[in-house]
Amino acid sequence: MATKIPVTVITGFLGSGKTSLIRHLLQNNQGRRIAVVVNEFGELGIDGELLKSCQICPEDGEGDTNTNIFELTNGCLCCTVQEEFYPMMQELIKRRDSIDCILIETSGLALPKPLVKAFRWQEIRNAATVDAVITVVDCAAVAAGTFASDLEAIAAQRQADDNLEHETPLQELFEDQLACADLVVLNKIDLVDAETKARVEELIKQELPRVVKIVESDAYSGHSQLDASILLGFQAAVEDNLDSRPSHHDTEEDHNHDEEITSTNLILDRTFDPEKLQQQLEKLAQQQEIYRIKGFVAVPNKSMRLVIQGVGTRFDKFYDRPWKPEEARQTRLVFIGRDLKSSEIESQLVAL
């Protein structure tokens, strides 16, 4: 039987840096022909656009460099395995002669284990295997208590009494992503001091059921220090050893976390001053429970498209590519959070 296609599942909370990691792998592919599956939360396809804009993907013979990027936008991937993931994998398997490996970027809401279980299906396991699950962790966000008001107190309670379960759904999701990991990328370490980083590392180690390597990355140089050989080639066959990867949802038939967190999309036919826009977005993040803001911005008198990404009130901006001649210079933003008031978000931006 021909060698199975290795698949790397990249998971992590909203804004942890998964898309940046995949861009890094595409730009430093060392000759590998990489196919990418992006599970967007929202309808605008921001992450897929960012990956396509790096212009590294191999051509299909007709000059199309984007045919190896697949976007699944109909909900959380672990909830739509049969409807979305299975037919997409069948299509990739048909093209196995032109693919060396597959990267799957889950949404920040996805549980990795249900997705990995799909690789036990006969039609998939004969042709593909999960090489590894990589969990990307935002060190600064964890240190700030994104998942709980007091992470140390939560950890102490769990150690003292296994029957106490006071975690929020986001905390459980964070733990499930760590429990399934073959490698943890601790990202944005430059945003915290050494003592805080050590505390976050210790918290992560407490949640890892096995010995798993933790590698570090920072927010400003991105993932440039991580060689592809560190991230690929584990040969872990994860689908065959799921028993060593516990989950809060092991006894449940399904889960409904995507009912708790929603997204809203805005398309505005106008330009924005980047600094004024960021100030307004920071205010919105304080007024509403917004976890992630991402999108493209049209800037006055600029031929380049501005990418803006925010986690809480922390934002990052960069120009990724020139606007195409046939492309509408629109500002497109996705907001991800809980109980979002879409009309208020739009009215504040329109009034800016």
Side-chain angles (χ1 to χ4, degrees), residues 118-132:
F119 284 84
R120 291 177 169 179
W121 296 349
Q122 196 66 30
E123 297 87 344
I124 295 179
R125 73 176 296 134
N126 288 337
T129 181
V130 180
D131 182 71

Side-chain angles (χ1 to χ4, degrees), residues 261-304:
I261 301 177
T262 58
S263 71
T264 187
N265 308 297
L266 284 183
I267 301 178
L268 301 172
D269 292 313
R270 56 160 295 183
T271 61
F272 286 91
D273 175 271
E275 299 306 320
K276 291 181 179 179
L277 175 62
Q278 179 175 328
Q279 291 173 7
Q280 188 62 52
L281 294 177
E282 289 174 354
K283 290 180 181 178
L284 282 167
Q286 293 172 346
Q287 295 168 0
Q288 299 192 39
E289 195 170 355
I290 297 173
Y291 300 132
R292 177 87 189 276
I293 301 171
K294 56 184 179 178
F296 303 114
V297 181
V299 178
N301 303 316
K302 281 285 186 180
S303 61
M304 300 282 286

Side-chain angles (χ1 to χ4, degrees), residues 39-330:
N39 183 204
E40 295 273 18
F41 194 84
E43 300 173 353
L44 294 185
I46 301 298
D47 290 346
E49 277 287 321
L50 279 173
L51 294 174
K52 292 173 183 177
S53 70
C54 74
Q55 300 178 340
I56 298 295
C57 296
E59 295 185 0
D60 64 354
E62 299 179 1
D64 189 344
T65 61
N66 294 325
T67 56
N68 273 10
I69 295 179
F70 292 73
E71 297 175 75
L72 303 181
T73 59
N74 291 333
C76 174
L77 186 55
C78 63
C79 300
T80 58
V81 169
Q82 290 182 323
E83 298 88 347
E84 291 281 310
F85 178 70
Y86 178 75
M88 180 273 306
M89 278 301 300
Q90 291 296 95
E91 177 63 26
L92 284 172
I93 289 170
K94 292 177 184 176
R95 300 164 55 183
R96 61 189 300 173
D97 291 341
S98 62
I99 296 173
D100 295 319
C101 62
I102 300 171
L103 305 178
I104 299 178
E105 177 190 354
T106 69
S107 78
L109 305 175
L111 295 164
K113 196 167 180 178
L115 174 61
V116 174
K117 283 182 178 179
F119 284 84
R120 291 177 169 179
W121 296 349
Q122 196 66 30
E123 297 87 344
I124 295 179
R125 73 176 296 134
N126 288 337
T129 181
V130 180
D131 182 71
V133 174
I134 296 177
T135 299
V136 185
V137 175
D138 182 333
C139 185
V142 174
T146 300
F147 309 113
S149 59
D150 189 338
L151 293 177
E152 293 177 338
I154 291 287
Q157 285 179 334
R158 294 183 68 244
Q159 290 177 348
D161 187 347
D162 290 339
N163 293 319
L164 287 177
E165 292 294 341
H166 293 165
E167 296 86 5
T168 66
L170 294 179
Q171 176 71 33
E172 292 182 0
L173 173 58
F174 179 64
E175 293 170 358
D176 276 17
Q177 290 173 345
L178 287 174
C180 203
D182 295 281
L183 178 74
V184 174
V185 176
L186 185 58
N187 194 24
K188 306 181 184 180
I189 59 170
D190 51 321
L191 302 182
V192 301
D193 57 31
E195 182 179 351
T196 301
K197 185 189 72 163
R199 178 168 59 86
V200 173
E201 286 182 342
E202 185 58 34
L203 175 67
I204 290 172
K205 289 176 182 177
Q206 291 175 11
E207 299 298 340
L208 295 171
R210 308 170 315 286
V211 177
V212 172
K213 185 174 179 59
I214 300 174
V215 297
E216 299 176 353
S217 178
D218 62 63
Y220 293 103
S221 65
H223 301 276
S224 58
Q225 68 270 41
L226 299 181
D227 191 271
S229 61
I230 298 174
L231 303 166
L232 305 175
F234 279 72
Q235 299 180 343
V238 180
E239 66 275 13
D240 293 333
N241 60 81
L242 283 176
D243 290 343
S244 64
R245 302 163 193 259
S247 166
H248 288 283
H249 301 268
D250 282 340
T251 59
E252 301 175 10
E253 292 185 2
D254 52 30
H255 55 282
N256 296 308
H257 53 258
D258 55 344
E259 295 179 359
E260 300 171 352
I261 301 177
T262 58
S263 71
T264 187
N265 308 297
L266 284 183
I267 301 178
L268 301 172
D269 292 313
R270 56 160 295 183
T271 61
F272 286 91
D273 175 271
E275 299 306 320
K276 291 181 179 179
L277 175 62
Q278 179 175 328
Q279 291 173 7
Q280 188 62 52
L281 294 177
E282 289 174 354
K283 290 180 181 178
L284 282 167
Q286 293 172 346
Q287 295 168 0
Q288 299 192 39
E289 195 170 355
I290 297 173
Y291 300 132
R292 177 87 189 276
I293 301 171
K294 56 184 179 178
F296 303 114
V297 181
V299 178
N301 303 316
K302 281 285 186 180
S303 61
M304 300 282 286
R305 184 176 71 173
L306 180 71
V307 177
I308 188 165
Q309 302 181 86
V311 180
T313 57
R314 190 175 71 247
F315 282 81
D316 177 44
K317 303 189 296 291
F318 63 91
Y319 291 95
D320 72 326
R321 64 166 174 80
W323 291 99
K324 298 176 182 177
E326 72 280 3
E327 189 175 18
R329 297 196 179 188
Q330 298 172 316

Side-chain angles (χ1 to χ4, degrees), residues 18-38:
K18 299 186 300 294
T19 303
S20 296
L21 178 63
I22 293 178
R23 276 176 64 94
H24 164 69
L25 283 171
L26 290 177
Q27 293 168 338
N28 299 274
N29 57 45
Q30 298 175 354
R32 296 178 180 87
R33 297 168 299 173
I34 300 175
V36 180
V37 178
V38 183

